[in-house]
Amino acid sequence: MATVLSVFKPTGELAQAITNFQPRAAQQQMAEAIAATVKKKGELVVEAETGTGKTFAYLAPVLLGKGKAIVSTGTKNLQEQLFHRDLPMLRKVLAPEKVVALLKGRSNYLCLHRMEQATQQAGQFSKDIQNQLITVKRWATSTRSGDVGELNALAEDASVLPQVTSTQDNCLGRDCPVYEDCHLVKARKEAMEADIVVVNHHLFFADMALKDTGFGELIPSVDTVVFDEAHQIPDIASQYFGETVSSRQLTEMCEELQRLCMTELKDLSQASAMARTLLQALKDWRLLFPRDPMRGNWRDWRKKPDVAEVAERVQERLTLLTDVMKTAIGRNKDFDNLHERAEQHLTIWRQLMDVDRTGYSFWFETTPRHVSLHQTPLSVAKTFGGYIKRNKMSWVFTSATLAVNGKFDYFTKRLGIDDADTLLLESPFDFAKQAKLCLPRYLPEANDPNRHQMLTEIAEQCVKVNRGGTFLLFTSHRMLQQMAAILRDRLDRDILVQGESGKTELLETFTKKGNAVLLGTSSFWEGVDVRGEALRCVIIDKLPFASPDDPLLNARVEDARLRGVDAFSTIQLPQAIIALKQGAGRLIRDKDDSGVLIVCDSRLVTRQYGKQFLSSLPAMSRTRDLNEALSFLAQVAEKDETNNDELISN
């Protein structure tokens, strides 16, 4: 029988199953540490830098261990990769008897009841949605899983999807007339019976916070939990231990109620009329905020007379709506669900009007059409740390970016896992030879409104020398749009811009083109794996400090100040260092990769804290001379051309 020690040896199971498998000392060290953690029911935090092979390092001991395990990821892409590629490969050679399951959030599954409801109410929808609904119904007859990710004929953000999938709010649960055929119920049943379940962090914390009552029994039944991309956990956990209500939720509830009153409950005209008045109040509510999307401090905005007046109007109309709906409870299950949702939203709305409570950040965010109010705990350490202590499981947290200056305190304190074992594994890549880090001289200050002009010149020079692809990573959408407009006029390369199509589609196009330029903000700083010539240059516009207007950050800073703690060194700086490590990690993804990383922020050399950023980055060769970086990029391009010529001649 295979053991963790034998699996990674040159003659082990992986070497026999995988062509050109290369044993890595760091990978074996990580696997053995995880196996020991599983055995003693402990906690382990591992930073495994790019190239370590962390995925196999945690999957092997999980497959060889006893009991049930959950593997949680930060992105759908990694979740799919684990389930469809990595797990089957290892399971086949290490534990073919083990059953694995993939479980996504409920909005990823077709809801048969809502699809039928949408069909009956089709006349209330636009022609586009009606045509999309026909596509969904055809696919529904052949799908086994009900995973709407299979629906390639529709865009990821197709307008029909909210009408044919459920949310925690509108799901009828066991009262649903097609409960036994529900795709989500079947997926959860498979997960309950599996040995290893692959989920994502949002789903995990929905379960843990018992927000999703139909799924709360999965986590207590497992023996081991592995979090990959664990650097995301503190912020995601905060979302689920807080409360949120949005005008989108209230609008969807009102629109569903109106459609129901126009079809099955035509005599409830008063409820429909009350929904209409609430919709108008919600539109007035959105008009109080600036047109452009923003985040803000809800405590401050709550004090404004016009905001307070319209907030009170929304609450009054929501209260009246719930009172009117009470008179018709029991006539229709969908109507009963809508009444329950209305009461829940009203309870949370009232909570969010009471902003004098301590220990929370009260903030809001807007989209072009909606406003969301949030109550987020300033710390989840007590809640999460207490949960871990009460549940005697094995807990593994891993990512390429968890440590700051070689220490894990920033991560472990935020989660209340101060007693966890820690392990820092360096990348096996030769960064000094494979990559060059350039910090150009004579850059404008980070707050200079015209700095985009020099950044554009730097990007233009790099792209012209670079034979392969280029990433431009930004800390603001404004800078991204400014540079995108200029570069499209100056360059003859394909310019791909975040927001103009979905992230997956953009990355596929970028990789396929091989020499494109992609401009992205925060979501492209992590979870992106482009190898080889398709990505040879990464340019970062400035150090990724969180926006000073971020209300959650401001609340944490204020809380630190009240406790006599230096907020910059304990909150803002570590957060920015980890974000920069993520962005820099896009460049070198393979032992044969090479390229240039350019960070256009002079604070790396003019501020004392710059040393902490630099010491946390991979050990690339460094220069202040842009021409030296361009020369290195030209050498990489020449080598790529030679390699391609050899491939053609062979």
Side-chain angles (χ1 to χ4, degrees):
M1 180 180 174
T3 64
V4 170
L5 192 62
S6 69
V7 163
F8 297 95
K9 288 186 175 180
T11 56
E13 287 76 8
L14 292 182
Q16 295 173 32
I18 302 171
T19 306
N20 299 322
F21 174 77
Q22 297 290 329
R24 305 175 214 180
Q27 187 179 52
Q28 184 169 335
Q29 187 180 351
M30 178 175 171
E32 290 175 343
I34 292 174
T37 300
V38 170
K39 189 174 182 179
K40 70 179 183 181
K41 299 285 184 186
E43 299 112 45
L44 175 67
V45 179
V46 186
E47 174 169 294
E49 293 183 356
T50 308
T52 305
K54 63 182 170 65
T55 304
F56 281 11
Y58 65 69
L59 286 181
V62 163
L63 282 163
L64 294 172
K66 296 178 181 178
K68 189 183 183 83
I70 286 177
V71 178
S72 182
T73 73
T75 59
K76 281 186 187 177
N77 285 344
L78 181 55
Q79 193 182 5
E80 296 273 359
Q81 176 188 312
L82 278 173
F83 183 74
H84 293 294
R85 192 184 76 185
D86 298 333
L87 250 177
M89 187 188 304
L90 264 69
R91 174 180 165 273
K92 183 177 180 181
V93 295
L94 298 182
E97 75 287 353
K98 292 223 167 173
V99 178
V100 299
L102 176 69
L103 187 60
K104 298 181 180 179
R106 65 166 68 243
S107 63
N108 292 278
Y109 296 95
L110 174 69
C111 174
L112 298 171
H113 175 61
R114 283 180 59 77
M115 181 180 69
E116 185 58 34
Q117 204 175 31
T119 302
Q120 294 173 6
Q121 301 169 356
Q124 310 298 322
F125 298 122
S126 67
K127 285 292 182 186
D128 280 347
I129 294 181
Q130 289 179 35
N131 290 332
Q132 291 171 6
L133 184 58
I134 293 170
T135 301
V136 171
K137 292 192 72 176
R138 285 175 184 157
W139 166 76
T141 62
S142 60
T143 181
R144 191 191 76 81
S145 69
D147 184 343
V148 295
E150 298 173 1
L151 256 171
N152 297 324
L154 294 180
E156 289 181 10
D157 58 351
S159 301
V160 75
L161 293 180
Q163 309 301 331
V164 296
T165 56
S166 71
T167 64
Q168 181 199 337
D169 289 337
N170 60 34
C171 176
L172 298 180
R174 292 186 180 277
D175 292 331
C176 180
V178 287
Y179 180 80
E180 295 302 324
D181 296 319
C182 175
H183 290 296
L184 178 62
V185 170
K186 289 177 180 177
R188 288 175 172 170
K189 186 171 184 293
E190 288 179 10
M192 290 299 297
E193 294 171 353
D195 299 299
I196 299 171
V197 187
V198 182
V199 302
N200 59 57
H201 300 338
H202 285 278
L203 187 58
F204 182 93
F205 284 100
D207 179 296
M208 181 179 161
L210 298 179
K211 292 291 180 69
D212 200 343
T213 53
F215 172 48
E217 70 273 16
L218 179 60
I219 293 174
S221 69
V222 305
D223 301 278
T224 301
V225 178
V226 178
F227 291 106
D228 200 347
E229 300 175 310
H231 61 280
Q232 300 178 8
I233 290 175
D235 289 333
I236 292 175
S238 293
Q239 296 175 32
Y240 283 91
F241 297 143
E243 296 288 0
T244 298
V245 67
S246 71
S247 61
R248 179 189 295 275
Q249 288 175 303
L250 294 169
T251 298
E252 288 177 352
M253 177 193 73
C254 289
E255 289 174 347
E256 286 179 40
L257 176 59
Q258 287 181 314
R259 286 197 294 270
L260 200 61
C261 291
M262 293 173 73
T263 52
E264 299 178 51
L265 300 171
K266 293 181 180 179
D267 59 318
L268 294 182
S269 57
Q270 189 181 6
S272 182
M274 288 308 309
R276 189 161 54 250
T277 64
L278 177 54
L279 283 171
Q280 184 56 55
L282 291 168
K283 289 176 183 175
D284 295 342
W285 168 246
R286 175 62 185 91
L287 290 172
L288 292 171
F289 299 85
R291 177 182 295 180
D292 292 336
M294 67 170 294
R295 281 183 164 195
N297 186 316
W298 174 232
R299 275 196 177 103
D300 294 341
W301 279 66
R302 176 78 176 89
K303 297 171 186 174
K304 296 184 177 186
D306 54 345
V307 173
E309 180 188 341
V310 179
E312 183 63 29
R313 194 188 312 157
V314 171
Q315 184 169 317
E316 285 176 358
R317 293 184 180 181
L318 181 54
T319 303
L320 284 171
L321 178 62
T322 58
D323 290 342
V324 168
M325 292 177 74
K326 278 179 188 175
T327 62
I329 290 174
R331 289 185 54 186
N332 177 286
K333 288 179 180 178
D334 291 300
F335 182 86
D336 291 353
N337 171 263
L338 285 165
H339 174 256
E340 190 176 317
R341 285 160 63 183
E343 289 202 318
Q344 289 173 349
H345 293 325
L346 179 59
T347 299
I348 297 173
W349 183 274
R350 285 171 173 158
Q351 278 187 40
L352 287 160
M353 295 302 111
D354 178 11
V355 295
D356 294 328
R357 287 170 291 130
T358 58
Y360 294 93
S361 167
F362 290 90
W363 56 286
F364 68 87
E365 60 184 337
T366 66
T367 65
R369 295 181 60 189
H370 293 289
V371 185
S372 299
L373 301 181
H374 303 269
Q375 167 192 299
T376 304
L378 296 179
S379 171
V380 298
K382 186 175 181 180
T383 306
F384 187 75
Y387 185 91
I388 283 186
K389 287 179 174 64
R390 290 192 304 274
N391 292 272
K392 298 299 180 182
M393 308 174 189
S394 310
W395 299 84
V396 177
F397 305 83
T398 185
S399 170
T401 54
L402 291 176
V404 177
N405 296 326
K407 296 180 180 179
F408 292 90
D409 299 20
Y410 175 68
F411 179 78
T412 57
K413 285 180 179 177
R414 292 181 75 192
L415 289 181
I417 51 172
D418 298 357
D419 297 330
D421 294 327
T422 60
L423 181 62
L424 201 162
L425 300 169
E426 294 184 356
S427 172
F429 299 155
D430 189 346
F431 284 101
K433 288 185 178 179
Q434 291 179 245
K436 189 170 288 289
L437 168 62
C438 179
L439 314 173
R441 293 190 180 96
Y442 316 122
L443 288 169
E445 290 298 315
N447 59 357
D448 189 322
N450 297 313
R451 69 192 304 270
H452 68 281
Q453 295 172 354
M454 180 171 278
L455 264 63
T456 303
E457 291 175 12
I458 290 172
E460 189 177 2
Q461 292 179 68
C462 290
V463 171
K464 287 181 176 177
V465 171
N466 183 16
R467 175 188 165 91
T470 305
F471 264 8
L472 274 70
L473 300 178
F474 297 89
T475 56
S476 76
H477 286 277
R478 181 172 173 272
M479 177 69 84
L480 180 152
Q481 295 299 337
Q482 284 180 317
M483 289 188 60
I486 299 172
L487 290 174
R488 278 189 163 137
D489 287 338
R490 294 189 185 180
L491 297 175
D492 59 359
R493 301 279 181 97
D494 289 289
I495 307 294
L496 308 174
V497 180
Q498 178 181 341
E500 294 184 352
S501 61
K503 180 178 178 181
T504 302
E505 185 181 343
L506 274 177
L507 288 171
E508 286 176 355
T509 304
F510 179 81
T511 304
K512 187 177 180 180
K513 294 288 183 183
N515 68 347
V517 179
L518 190 151
L519 292 80
T521 56
S522 54
S523 63
F524 283 86
W525 285 61
E526 59 178 283
V528 173
D529 188 5
V530 180
R531 304 186 181 207
E533 192 175 349
L535 180 58
R536 291 300 195 208
C537 181
V538 173
I539 302 173
I540 293 176
D541 76 325
K542 65 179 179 180
L543 297 179
F545 284 107
S547 168
D549 298 329
D550 185 322
L552 185 54
L553 173 67
N554 283 336
R556 285 176 175 151
V557 168
E558 177 65 13
D559 179 66
R561 186 185 66 77
L562 293 173
R563 290 185 288 112
V565 175
D566 178 16
F568 181 77
S569 62
T570 60
I571 298 172
Q572 294 161 284
L573 183 59
Q575 186 176 323
I577 288 173
I578 287 175
L580 184 65
K581 287 172 69 174
Q582 282 287 340
R586 297 316 98 214
L587 182 63
I588 303 299
R589 308 296 300 171
D590 187 89
K591 64 180 179 64
D592 296 320
D593 273 354
S594 53
V596 168
L597 170 65
I598 300 176
V599 184
C600 301
D601 195 324
S602 58
R603 290 176 293 181
L604 277 171
V605 289
T606 61
R607 299 288 195 274
Q608 188 66 29
Y609 59 71
K611 295 176 182 177
Q612 295 188 52
F613 280 100
L614 292 173
S615 65
S616 293
L617 291 176
M620 304 175 184
S621 59
R622 297 175 187 167
T623 181
R624 299 292 317 279
D625 187 346
L626 180 61
N627 288 323
E628 191 177 328
L630 294 173
S631 176
F632 185 89
L633 202 51
Q635 292 171 26
V636 172
E638 187 178 339
K639 185 179 177 182
D640 284 338
E641 188 170 6
T642 302
N643 290 339
N644 287 340
D645 288 342
E646 288 177 358
L647 284 172
I648 293 170
S649 63
N650 290 335

